[in-house]
């Protein structure tokens, strides 16, 4: 297994666990600990985290070299989106300023994945299999 594949699987597993933890927090944490819309913020972070955890694992297991950039974008994008949202939900920062950066990075990664799937260069071995 390649190094980047192991890194992606690690982050996919980590994000999956964090997504479940955030869902539990959103359901069970006391309202006094959260800001006004804190539960909704935690649910949004949980959904974003969990969805991309599955995607990151699937891309890592696909072993497609042209998906590496998208996978790394998803890893960084989830971190930049979810971490500020979580911190803001607990009132530890005033606003989730990093979330838009993470959101844009996730959108760009999705677009990159779409174009990599249809326009990626085939390796010599792939061309011989397809012929």
């Amino acid at each position: 297994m390649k190094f980047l594949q192991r890194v992606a699987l690690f982050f996919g597993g980590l994000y999956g666990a964090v997504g479940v933890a955030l869902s539990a927090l959103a359901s069970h944490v006391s309202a006094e600990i959260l800001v006004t819309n804190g539960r909704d913020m935690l649910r949004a972070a949980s959904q974003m985290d969990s969805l991309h955890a599955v995607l990151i694992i699937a891309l890592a297991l696909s072993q497609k070299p042209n998906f590496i950039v998208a996978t790394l974008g998803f890893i960084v994008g989830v971190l930049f989106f979810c971490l500020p949202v979580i911190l803001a939900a607990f009132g530890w920062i005033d606003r989730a300023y990093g979330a838009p950066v993470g959101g844009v990075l996730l959108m760009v990664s999705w677009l990159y994945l779409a174009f990599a799937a249809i326009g990626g260069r085939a390796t010599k071995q792939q061309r011989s299999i397809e012929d």
Side-chain angles (χ1 to χ4, degrees), residues 4 59 64-77 105 108-110 112-113 116:
L4 287 176
L59 289 174
K64 303 280 187 195
N66 51 342
F67 293 167
I68 297 285
V69 173
T71 305
L72 294 174
F74 289 127
I75 290 169
V76 175
L105 185 54
V108 169
S109 298
W110 277 104
Y112 184 90
L113 177 63

Side-chain angles (χ1 to χ4, degrees), residues 80-130:
F80 275 47
F81 179 84
C82 292
L83 187 59
V85 170
I86 295 164
L87 295 175
F90 286 100
W92 295 334
I93 59 173
D94 289 335
R95 292 189 169 231
Y97 289 114
V101 174
V104 168
L105 185 54
L106 289 171
M107 288 184 270
V108 169
S109 298
W110 277 104
L111 290 172
Y112 184 90
L113 177 63
F115 287 111
I118 61 169
R121 276 208 248 163
T123 65
K124 187 176 180 180
Q125 182 183 10
Q126 289 170 329
R127 280 192 297 268
S128 68
I129 292 171
E130 292 170 358

Side-chain angles (χ1 to χ4, degrees), residues 5-62:
Q5 209 178 0
R6 283 186 290 196
V7 168
L9 290 172
F10 169 79
F11 277 100
L14 179 66
Y15 288 169
V18 169
V20 172
L22 289 173
S23 180
L25 279 172
S27 297
H28 301 294
V29 74
S30 173
E32 293 85 37
I33 296 175
L34 301 171
V35 297
T36 303
N37 293 327
R39 269 188 218 291
D40 293 334
M41 294 169 76
L42 289 176
R43 284 188 187 107
S46 172
Q47 290 172 351
M48 191 68 68
D49 210 345
S50 299
L51 167 83
H52 287 92
V54 173
L55 176 66
I56 290 166
I57 291 170
L59 289 174
L61 293 176
S62 77

